[in-house]
Amino acid sequence: MNPLLDIADLHASVGEIKILNGVTLTINPGEIHAIMGPNGSGKSTLANVLAGNPAYNVTRGSASIAGENLMQLLPEDRARRGLFLSFQHPVEIPGVRMDHFMRASLNPIRKHRGENEIGILDFDRLVSEKVQVIDMSRDMAKRAVNVGFSGGEKKRNEILQMAILEPKISILDEPDSGLDVDALRIVASGINQLRSNDNSTLLITHYQRILDYVTPDYVHIMIKGRIVKSGDKSLALDVEKSGYDQFEPTPQ
Amino acid sequence: MLENLPKPVDAYIEGYNSRDTAKIPPWMTELQKLSMSIFQSKGFPIGVARNEEWKYTSLTTLADLDPVIPQENSQLVTDINQLDLTNSYASAMRIPTVLFLNGIYQPKLSNTSLQNQGIRVRTFKDIYESGTTSVLEEHLGRYVNNASNEFVCLNTALVDNGVLIEIEANAANTTPIHIAHFYTASNKLQTTSPRLLILAPDAGTATILETHEGVGNGTYFTNAVTEIYVGKQSDIQHYSVQTQSVAAFHISNTGVHLAADSKFRSVNIDLGGSLVRHNLDVITAEPGAVCVLNGLYVVDGKRHCDNQVIIDHAAPHTTSTELYKGVLDDESRSVFHGSVIVREGAIKVNANQADKNLLLSDKAEADTKPAFWVYCDDVICRHGAACGQIDPAAMFYLQARGIDSSEAKQLLTRAFLSEITESIASPDVKTHIETLVSDRLSALKSNT
């Protein structure tokens, strides 16, 4: 069986600045991997590069989803193949309603999976069911995308989209940042409910605390654009106790 | 040199002279004569006559073309299905209140009987025929600049058959009054002078939809004038939709007079035309008057769309809100010139103005020029202008959700304009315009 996500020696830059310096990582179905690292270590860049953000240049290496090379694909084609990025800063789009947006998103993905397009009524039913995952009112579907959403609502909205799109591999870019403990529990509970043996999650976080609620199979430490150490969840506790300094390369 | 060109008005004078004047009342004949002489002395605002008002819009191409004035009885149609109604608000089920084809009134395709709605719609010719023309005589030319505006004068001089809408006290119509103009191809510069006069003297409410639709790719020149008197406590909504051909010239002058505690809302939609110029002049003449002026334009190719809006706050406690939004592609150009005047003593005026443009191409250009003349303290005046491109972060967000780039662009451009379409209170008109806008946006090169 192919791993769901296979990253090999990935290098990436923004303009002249090199940010990823050879990331290698394999994620199998059913696994949750957490990537932790200090600010500026390249965690968000990794998430954006995997999702195909044109602001980043991949200079070397590869990544594939279920055996299929991602690197030459447009962002929308990656999404249709089952890759999902939960944004650290979800974008506000005035004038576009959540339900229109989510249906416009789901239908090409369903089409790629060989399923029929979903009609408006069935979609409304689906939204009513999935909002329960993140404890939101279905009224949110009538609001403009992320406009006027609180920080916590924006993050829950990302998990709602994940619940509706049912991706194979979810890359969650700091789904915990800016959340109070109640919102954190809801987001974590959503992630846990969506977990299955057929999908996998790459959870990017700065702090250990979300890992109290979402138990990772593996924890990786990223420093200066590389994974410098991998282990199980105890590694996260190690970070919590002693910080990231212990992983920094020793000055020559 | 442009400066040495003669004023190209002779062909229009010829059109004026060859009109059928048999049934025109003497006062109208006089008004037309005067208007023609003003137009004749001014000519087109080109060459030396090109003033600040026409700084960004050149009429040289228009002035070079040979006009022809369509004659009555040449184009009478008996069945509305003979017209191409594909993109029209009109249909066999929704016969317009008044329909004109190339400037010629089509009685068989019109339904002026608005029963029990307290609204009376008549053509000028019907009024001439009735022998009682005093209403027209009293109001025509009063709410626009018929003293010096060359295109108002040209319209008055050439108007063949206009429309008068009278809204009685406490009338409140539910279905929009639809004044429909259709234009078809012609090998000459077919020139029409649509004229609309709307009178709501006392606490009348009405919604008026004015459409200018082109069928095919013909070249023609529409020189429209609309006058609206919004009497005390009246509430008038005026929607104007222009979907003319890529070779069409469209000039309009709209004058609105607002009396005490009245309300006027307009939405001006431009999705067609080669060269489009609108002058909208609103005067809030008495306290409590409120106007909301919205506009939307989509231009591509080498199209040009120019909106000149003047709001004259002549009375205290009056409010104006103005929002125009445009999407520009290719080498198109838009002009927005918004003037707000606050007269001496007009305290507690609240005026808001904004023009926002989305440029889809590096070669498109939007010129925005706000101007405020405030002769009074204790007022609130705000202005905002913006020109920008599609937000790459929003694009990536949509694409990362599986939406392809062309659909994402259409979604974002539509969303940008939705602030204007959302302001349309009539649900039927709103749905119609949303479809037109959406189709227009999906046809832009940068959106495919």
Side-chain angles (χ1 to χ4, degrees), chain A residues 12 19 34 45 54 92-93 99 104 112 114 118 149-150 152 157 182 198 208 210 227 235 240:
Chain A
I19 300 177
T45 297
E92 295 186 12
I93 311 180
D99 51 357
H112 192 270
I118 191 164
F149 284 42
S150 69
N157 188 11
D182 293 324
D198 305 319
Q208 186 272 338
I210 192 171
I227 290 172
L235 188 55
E240 178 80 357

Side-chain angles (χ1 to χ4, degrees), chain A residues 48 52-53 75-76 79-80 84-85 87 93-96 101 104-105 108 146 158 161, chain B residues 391 393-394 396-407 411-412 414-416 418:
Chain A
N48 276 278
N53 190 333
E76 55 267 40
R80 290 169 191 187
F84 178 84
L85 171 62
F87 282 62
I93 311 180
V96 178
F101 159 64
S105 163
N146 291 316
E158 293 294 287
Q161 291 167 49
Chain B
D391 176 13
F396 177 58
Y397 191 67
L398 295 174
Q399 286 181 272
R401 291 293 178 264
I403 299 170
D404 63 41
S405 66
S406 68
E407 204 188 330
L411 208 59
L412 292 172
R414 210 159 57 218
F416 174 74
S418 69

Side-chain angles (χ1 to χ4, degrees), chain B residues 174-386:
Chain B
T174 44
T175 42
I177 299 161
H178 184 194
I179 311 301
H181 291 270
F182 283 81
Y183 304 90
T184 56
S186 152
N187 51 1
K188 277 197 152 186
L189 185 72
Q190 196 155 249
T191 298
T192 56
S193 306
R195 185 77 177 229
L196 179 59
L197 174 61
I198 301 167
L199 301 175
D202 183 19
T205 298
T207 299
I208 294 111
L209 169 67
E210 193 180 337
T211 57
H212 294 274
E213 279 181 58
V215 180
N217 296 317
T219 298
Y220 37 81
F221 170 31
T222 306
N223 178 33
V225 171
T226 299
E227 295 179 83
I228 307 177
Y229 176 78
V230 191
K232 62 180 189 327
Q233 292 174 0
S234 291
D235 182 353
I236 300 298
Q237 292 178 58
H238 180 238
Y239 305 120
S240 178
V241 185
Q242 184 272 116
T243 51
Q244 293 187 322
S245 93
V246 69
F249 297 89
H250 186 103
I251 292 179
S252 86
N253 277 278
T254 303
V256 184
H257 182 101
L258 294 178
D261 300 318
S262 66
K263 189 170 185 187
F264 176 70
R265 285 172 279 176
S266 76
V267 183
N268 189 77
I269 312 276
D270 278 296
L271 302 174
S274 163
L275 189 155
V276 177
R277 160 70 173 239
H278 298 293
N279 280 19
L280 172 58
D281 296 306
V282 179
I283 175 163
T284 58
E286 293 173 38
V290 173
C291 68
V292 181
L293 313 176
N294 290 338
L296 170 169
Y297 42 91
V298 180
V299 279
D300 62 351
K302 294 194 169 185
R303 291 168 191 250
H304 181 109
C305 183
D306 178 350
N307 277 288
Q308 308 268 324
V309 183
I310 301 175
I311 300 171
D312 184 351
H313 285 279
H317 299 277
T318 55
T319 301
S320 65
T321 310
E322 202 179 337
L323 176 63
Y324 276 68
K325 281 189 149 187
V327 171
L328 294 86
D329 199 5
D330 306 325
E331 295 167 55
S332 62
R333 189 161 183 197
S334 75
V335 180
F336 177 83
H337 187 174
S339 305
V340 174
I341 304 157
V342 182
R343 302 271 171 187
E344 207 176 319
I347 56 160
K348 305 289 181 193
V349 157
N350 194 332
N352 283 285
Q353 181 200 81
D355 173 47
K356 295 177 183 174
N357 294 287
L358 193 56
L359 303 173
L360 302 180
S361 144
D362 293 343
K363 290 180 178 159
E365 186 180 327
D367 291 297
T368 295
K369 194 178 152 194
F372 282 79
W373 286 278
V374 181
Y375 302 103
C376 180
D377 297 332
D378 196 14
V379 297
I380 299 169
C381 291
R382 287 191 207 92
H383 165 77

Side-chain angles (χ1 to χ4, degrees), chain A residues 5-8 10 50 61-65 68-71 78:
Chain A
L5 185 65
D6 200 4
I7 306 168
L10 197 60
L50 291 173
S62 69
S64 60
I65 179 167
E68 193 175 358
N69 186 6
L70 281 178
M71 291 292 102
R78 301 181 193 206

Side-chain angles (χ1 to χ4, degrees), chain A residues 30-227:
Chain A
E31 293 176 353
I32 292 188
H33 290 236
I35 290 192
M36 303 182 70
N39 290 328
S41 59
K43 306 187 299 292
S44 281
T45 297
L46 177 63
N48 276 278
V49 163
L50 291 173
N53 190 333
Y56 299 84
N57 298 317
V58 173
T59 50
R60 203 199 309 172
S62 69
S64 60
I65 179 167
E68 193 175 358
N69 186 6
L70 281 178
M71 291 292 102
Q72 300 307 316
L73 297 178
L74 292 166
E76 55 267 40
D77 292 324
R78 301 181 193 206
R80 290 169 191 187
R81 279 160 179 78
L83 186 138
F84 178 84
L85 171 62
S86 166
F87 282 62
Q88 186 182 353
H89 303 291
V91 181
E92 295 186 12
I93 311 180
V96 178
R97 256 169 58 163
M98 274 306 302
D99 51 357
H100 296 170
F101 159 64
M102 291 191 296
R103 206 162 74 87
S105 163
L106 178 58
N107 273 331
I109 291 172
R110 283 176 65 98
K111 200 174 160 199
H112 192 270
R113 293 199 292 236
E115 299 165 10
N116 290 333
E117 290 205 347
I118 191 164
I120 290 172
L121 291 179
D122 285 338
F123 184 74
D124 278 352
R125 258 176 241 130
L126 180 68
V127 171
S128 301
E129 179 197 324
K130 298 295 185 188
V131 285
Q132 293 168 21
V133 172
I134 43 125
D135 195 23
M136 272 178 104
S137 157
R138 56 175 298 197
D139 294 345
M140 62 82 70
K142 307 289 177 211
R143 292 164 64 183
V145 176
N146 291 316
V147 177
F149 284 42
S150 69
E153 281 178 327
K154 283 181 181 166
K155 299 289 193 181
R156 280 146 75 182
N157 188 11
E158 293 294 287
I159 304 301
L160 170 67
Q161 291 167 49
M162 175 178 158
I164 284 174
L165 301 178
E166 299 181 320
K168 287 185 201 154
I169 172 85
S170 300
I171 300 158
L172 311 180
D173 188 4
E174 301 199 15
D176 51 342
S177 63
L179 296 189
D180 62 32
V181 70
D182 293 324
L184 180 66
R185 273 204 197 103
I186 293 167
V187 165
S189 152
I191 295 168
N192 286 329
Q193 287 174 66
L194 299 173
R195 183 173 192 175
S196 85
N197 289 330
D198 305 319
N199 63 27
S200 341
T201 302
L202 178 60
L203 172 56
I204 292 168
T205 181
H206 187 78
Y207 298 106
Q208 186 272 338
R209 65 176 189 160
I210 192 171
L211 303 180
D212 289 340
Y213 305 97
V214 178
T215 310
D217 300 295
Y218 299 93
V219 173
H220 310 278
I221 307 297
M222 183 179 265
I223 305 283
K224 296 198 167 108
R226 302 183 65 171
I227 290 172

